[in-house]
Amino acid sequence: MTERTTYEQVGDVALITMDDGKANVFGPPMIAAVNAQLDRAADDAKAVALSGRPGLFSGGFDLNVFRDSGPAEARAMGLAGARLMMRLYGWPQPLVVAASGHAIALGALCVLTGDHRLAADGEFRLGLNEVAIGRTLPPFAWLLARERLSKRALTQAALTAKMYDPEGARDAGFVDEVAPADELRDVALERAAQLAEYDAATFSAMKQGLRGDGIDAVLAGLEGN
């Protein structure tokens, strides 16, 4: 189940790296793999850093499932992806998300779940291309976009499918910091270790207070699907 991800414990930080050898799409196997590694981190770590392989974070949902599988399979993947994003967004431990390269559609939304968000400097694109490919944003995506993106960038990012380079993504609110690509891993671990020094119960309670109502509303909307 975890062959699409690797897990490395560095001090108090669990470093989870996604790498399926292709576009790191969030299909059923990748969703299951990330969930399994989070289960492990909950027991072994005090903070989590989530990244992709150099040059690529994630290309989003597995569109082949939407196109080629039956409605039940497509719906199941959509629901599992939504639940994973809400799990990350509400993760009780500090979560650093490091966009190691391109982060498109659900990949960009995944970046938005982080408590501290990094992008590797380089010729990479980050953004929500759903409108450009004829798809609308589901409720969990609107929650993340509205809560994390700059208000002045929201229309361009969500409605006009604007894609950003790393510095543009920082200005728009997709990420908090841009780091040299060859230093991204170390910076992500350092930021996660710094956050891990906070009292765990206080950090979790504050995150729940900030995000819990929105997450609960999204999950309640998924229950009938």
Side-chain angles (χ1 to χ4, degrees):
M1 180 179 292
T2 58
E3 68 273 7
R4 287 168 172 77
T5 60
T6 58
Y7 182 103
E8 182 181 358
Q9 188 82 25
V10 183
D12 290 330
V13 180
L15 175 61
I16 300 171
T17 303
M18 301 183 293
D19 186 1
D20 65 1
K22 298 178 182 178
N24 276 357
V25 292
F26 283 102
M30 180 66 81
I31 292 169
V34 173
N35 272 316
Q37 302 293 30
L38 289 173
D39 291 342
R40 182 176 176 184
D43 294 329
D44 298 343
K46 294 181 180 178
V48 173
L50 176 66
S51 190
R53 70 171 179 275
L56 181 67
F57 181 70
S58 173
F61 269 124
D62 187 347
L63 296 182
N64 289 327
V65 175
F66 285 136
R67 286 192 296 254
D68 302 332
S69 299
E73 290 83 357
R75 187 184 311 109
M77 182 181 72
L79 292 172
R83 291 189 175 103
L84 174 59
M85 293 304 113
M86 292 297 92
R87 186 183 191 193
L88 289 167
Y89 192 46
W91 187 246
Q93 300 170 336
L95 172 65
V96 172
V97 180
S100 50
H102 300 295
I104 311 298
L106 188 63
L109 292 166
C110 185
V111 174
L112 293 179
T113 67
D115 304 319
H116 189 76
R117 301 156 298 161
L118 295 162
D121 195 14
E123 296 183 7
F124 305 126
R125 299 192 308 152
L126 295 87
L128 307 174
N129 70 337
E130 278 81 357
V131 169
I133 61 173
R135 302 191 67 86
T136 58
L137 291 176
F140 81 87
W142 278 118
L143 172 68
L144 293 171
R146 287 180 175 136
E147 290 291 327
R148 309 311 306 275
L149 294 177
S150 165
K151 195 168 185 178
R152 59 181 169 73
L154 181 59
T155 294
Q156 283 191 323
L159 187 59
T160 72
K162 181 174 180 178
M163 305 304 292
Y164 298 87
D165 63 16
E167 284 295 343
R170 181 164 67 98
D171 184 64
F174 278 100
V175 299
D176 302 300
E177 182 180 1
V178 177
D182 60 354
E183 298 177 14
L184 185 71
R185 178 183 184 277
D186 290 341
V187 174
L189 289 171
E190 180 181 356
R191 300 292 181 266
Q194 289 169 344
L195 291 174
E197 293 178 1
Y198 292 131
D199 178 76
T202 301
F203 190 92
S204 177
M206 285 294 291
K207 188 186 287 193
Q208 174 66 22
L210 285 169
R211 304 177 182 173
D213 288 347
I215 293 170
D216 289 345
V218 168
L219 294 178
L222 299 177
E223 289 304 316
N225 291 287

